[in-house]
């Protein structure tokens, strides 16, 4: 049972991966992406910082920056199919004198996942964990949240299949208080085009062996990317990301949260270490981008929230690194 047949999960992983290295992860979402069989440990870190901006309501300075790190590891490194655990840390800084905007917002989560092969080409994944998202780390009981996910995947062969499950994220930007059912049907139509319909949905187009374009729609937003490999080590990429991050403020009501909404477009380059390099398994990416439609809002979830502050559109720089061994 520990020799999980990953070919059943790989077609679906294109939906789940999207452009994950630039998105804020929870530990549970990090575990939804299959871990390569040859890796026992994996670590990624990402940081971006904007130029000096301002709140449009008050004209007070605001210079947004973000730092993220995610680690995954097998509980038994000698067994490729053993359970995998993850820890995720994300921090958003406002660098603002505006008293309405917390200077520091933190999201930390832990989770573990087990995947098992079942009969008739079914695979089952169970994930459980929890986290904290707020402005006063671990001191605000309302900022703690749970994470849980059960997903069954059925392979129909030749890159086709479907996945059904139920997902609970107590810090989700919409419906945080209830588990949501999930269903995805995926199909690889040919060597260049594949898609997935459901929650989430995606389409992936690879017109040649060096170029891949992908769009992903999830409850948290929309992401689109295109990548072009220059060679085995260098890849050019462009990306659009629409995302929402959720936090609870220590001074706020228990049924209210602070949301940060942001759109980003960026372009950059990725360097990957290959066998024979000094750092095989290491990936480094750098990008320059533009952030717009940035907003802090307040409410129970984003279906009915009120704008707190609009932040000016600003350029930014981003760097990231991923390593596995």
């Amino acid at each position: 049972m520990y020799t999980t047949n990953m070919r059943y999960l790989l077609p679906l992983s294109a939906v789940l991966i999207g452009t994950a290295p630039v998105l804020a992860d929870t530990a549970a979402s990090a575990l939804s992406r299959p871990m390569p069989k040859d890796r026992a440990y994996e670590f990624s870190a990402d940081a971006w910082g904007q130029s000096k901006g301002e709140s449009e309501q008050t004209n007070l300075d605001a210079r947004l920056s973000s730092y993220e790190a995610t680690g995954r590891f097998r509980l038994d490194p000698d067994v490729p199919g053993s359970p995998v655990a993850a820890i995720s840390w994300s921090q958003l800084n406002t660098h603002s004198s505006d008293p309405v905007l917390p200077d520091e917002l933190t999201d930390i989560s832990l989770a573990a996942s087990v995947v098992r092969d079942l009969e008739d080409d079914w695979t089952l994944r169970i994930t459980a964990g929890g986290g904290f998202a707020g402005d006063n780390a671990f001191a605000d009981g309302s900022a703690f949240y749970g994470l849980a996910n059960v997903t069954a995947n059925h392979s129909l062969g030749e890159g086709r299949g479907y996945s059904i499950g139920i997902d609970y994220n107590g810090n989700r930007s919409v419906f945080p208080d209830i588990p949501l059912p999930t269903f995805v049907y995926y199909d690889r139509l040919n060597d260049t085009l594949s898609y997935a319909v459901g929650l989430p949905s995606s389409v992936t187009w690879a017109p040649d062996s060096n170029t891949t374009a992908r769009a992903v729609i999830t409850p948290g937003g929309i992401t689109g990317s295109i990548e072009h490999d220059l060679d085995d080590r260098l890849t050019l990429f462009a990306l659009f990301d629409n995302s929402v991050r959720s936090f609870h403020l220590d001074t706020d009501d228990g049924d209210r949260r602070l949301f940060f909404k942001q759109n980003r477009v960026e372009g950059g380059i990725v360097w990957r270490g290959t066998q024979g390099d000094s750092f095989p398994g290491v990936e480094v990416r750098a990008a320059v981008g533009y952030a717009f439609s940035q907003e802090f809002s307040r409410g129970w979830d984003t279906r009915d929230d009120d704008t707190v502050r609009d932040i000016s559109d600003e350029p930014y720089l981003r760097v990231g690194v991923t390593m596995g061994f």
Side-chain angles (χ1 to χ4, degrees):
M1 296 296 288
Y2 283 94
T3 58
T4 301
N5 198 330
M6 294 304 294
R7 72 173 182 275
Y8 299 150
L9 296 179
L10 290 177
L12 183 59
S13 69
V15 184
L16 301 172
I17 293 172
T19 46
V22 303
L23 303 177
D25 257 334
T26 65
S29 59
L31 292 172
S32 70
R33 302 188 296 272
M35 193 163 176
K37 286 185 175 182
D38 59 348
R39 291 187 178 181
Y41 307 92
E42 191 174 78
F43 172 81
S44 62
D46 190 271
W48 56 260
Q50 298 181 12
S51 62
K52 186 177 180 180
E54 63 181 20
S55 163
E56 296 182 5
Q57 283 83 0
T58 64
N59 292 324
L60 293 174
D61 291 346
R63 182 173 56 83
L64 303 183
S65 61
S66 180
Y67 310 92
E68 303 168 18
T70 301
R72 304 193 295 171
F73 59 93
R74 299 190 191 280
L75 298 183
D76 187 345
D78 297 326
V79 180
S82 71
V84 178
I87 180 171
S88 177
W89 167 79
S90 174
Q91 181 173 300
L92 176 66
N93 292 340
T94 63
H95 303 284
S96 176
S97 58
D98 190 334
V100 174
L101 298 179
D103 185 62
E104 184 177 293
L105 294 161
T106 304
D107 189 347
I108 301 175
S109 59
L110 297 164
S113 178
V114 61
V115 180
R116 293 292 182 266
D117 288 337
L118 305 179
E119 296 180 355
D120 300 322
D121 293 337
W122 281 92
T123 302
L124 179 69
R125 184 182 71 244
I126 300 174
T127 302
F132 175 94
D135 64 332
N136 191 2
F138 306 115
D140 179 10
S142 298
F144 288 91
Y145 62 89
L147 297 166
N149 178 280
V150 178
T151 303
N153 185 77
H154 186 209
S155 173
L156 301 176
E158 299 180 351
R160 293 185 302 116
Y162 59 90
S163 174
I164 57 176
I166 189 165
D167 177 79
Y168 176 78
N169 180 344
N171 197 42
R172 192 188 295 117
S173 60
V174 292
F175 301 112
D177 52 339
I178 60 174
L180 291 182
T182 61
F183 175 82
V184 177
Y185 173 81
Y186 56 90
D187 190 5
R188 183 178 179 87
L189 297 178
N190 50 50
D191 291 339
T192 64
L193 185 63
S194 60
Y195 70 91
V197 178
L199 188 66
S201 296
S202 76
V203 60
T204 301
W205 178 52
D208 56 59
S209 59
N210 296 324
T211 306
T212 303
R214 180 180 294 119
V216 181
I217 303 174
T218 72
I222 301 172
T223 301
S225 66
I226 183 168
E227 298 184 350
H228 179 74
D229 296 332
L230 299 178
D231 53 35
D232 291 342
R233 293 178 173 83
L234 296 177
T235 297
L236 297 177
F237 73 92
L239 175 136
F240 166 79
D241 173 35
N242 164 252
S243 61
V244 182
R245 297 163 73 170
S246 311
F247 306 91
H248 187 272
L249 303 185
D250 194 12
T251 56
D252 212 342
D253 298 334
D255 60 350
R256 291 292 182 267
R257 291 181 295 164
L258 184 71
F259 304 103
F260 175 59
K261 306 174 185 178
Q262 182 189 59
N263 291 326
R264 299 189 326 202
V265 290
E266 68 179 38
I269 190 167
V270 180
W271 176 86
R272 296 181 179 88
T274 61
Q275 293 299 324
D277 290 331
S278 299
F279 303 99
V282 174
E283 175 182 299
V284 179
R285 63 176 60 213
V288 59
Y290 189 72
F292 60 99
S293 298
Q294 302 186 103
E295 175 188 282
F296 286 93
S297 64
R298 180 177 176 271
W300 168 243
D301 67 14
T302 53
R303 293 171 298 163
D304 185 20
D305 57 337
D306 300 313
T307 299
V308 174
R309 292 290 186 266
D310 291 300
I311 305 300
S312 58
D313 303 343
E314 300 296 336
Y316 66 87
L317 296 175
R318 186 175 68 86
V319 294
V321 61
T322 299
M323 59 185 68
F325 47 93

